[in-house]
Amino acid sequence: GILTVHTIQEDYAVFAEWDGGFWQVAFAHVANRDADRATPLKGSSTTLKGGFQFGGGWDTNLYIGEHKSDLQPIDGMKYYGLDISWTSGPWTITAATSKTDLDIAAGALTTNSAAIRDRADYGIGVAYDLGGGAAVVAGVGRTDGLGGVAYDAAANGDSNTAADFGVTMKF
């Protein structure tokens, strides 16, 4: 099992994970305070994860979480996610999707006149293990969620497609 705690002033994060072999469970809680605003906002997110290995290189993770905030339109927002990956040799291919339960009235977060409703995101990624904790990774995803600056992209009904390519290192 792993237990991690991090704190800076009023911000803190707690993460705990238990690995049972072919299954894992994890809990994460992050709380922060946005003191840069005229009226500071406090918020927190709590996420639970269940992971399973099915053999043949197949893994899956299920996520569920809730966001609490002083900002009423997003207080109590729930989110869900699923990822499935397949590993063969140095290659890992992962597909992921998530859903955020939203019901934000027009103009509640921006001056935009569009309401923001339930949104779904999805993507696919690939990683090549270089050994020694390094991997080359790439992915592409599409979000209909709260993306963009100050939620404007989502409020306009736009989808955002993002791609990334890089190297990761685990020590």
Side-chain angles (χ1 to χ4, degrees):
I2 298 172
L3 175 63
T4 302
V5 178
H6 164 74
T7 183
I8 297 176
Q9 296 176 359
E10 293 181 40
D11 299 349
Y12 68 91
V14 176
F15 174 78
E17 181 179 43
W18 179 259
D19 187 339
F22 72 94
W23 59 272
Q24 302 84 38
V25 292
F27 165 85
H29 181 80
V30 177
N32 57 26
R33 179 176 181 262
D34 186 355
D36 294 337
R37 300 173 52 95
T39 304
L41 291 174
K42 291 183 181 180
S44 66
S45 292
T46 303
T47 305
L48 298 173
K49 177 196 97 162
F52 309 93
Q53 285 78 45
F54 296 102
W58 290 96
D59 299 323
T60 189
N61 293 295
L62 303 167
Y63 306 88
I64 184 170
E66 182 174 23
H67 183 73
K68 297 285 189 180
S69 177
D70 288 343
L71 187 59
Q72 287 305 310
I74 58 174
D75 184 44
M77 178 177 67
K78 293 181 177 43
Y79 47 91
Y80 316 90
L82 167 70
D83 69 60
I84 298 172
S85 63
W86 177 68
T87 301
S88 179
W91 293 96
T92 300
I93 300 170
T94 303
T97 186
S98 67
K99 181 176 184 297
T100 304
D101 286 342
L102 297 172
D103 191 6
I104 300 174
L109 294 176
T110 69
T111 57
N112 193 298
S113 61
I116 305 172
R117 301 287 182 244
D118 290 351
R119 302 295 177 151
D121 305 320
Y122 54 90
I124 190 163
V126 64
Y128 184 83
D129 187 351
L130 298 171
V136 175
V137 296
V140 64
R142 185 173 179 109
T143 178
D144 291 325
L146 294 176
V149 178
Y151 311 103
D152 284 331
N156 285 323
D158 295 340
S159 294
N160 300 301
T161 299
D164 196 15
F165 177 81
V167 175
T168 62
M169 294 185 189
K170 294 180 184 176
F171 298 97

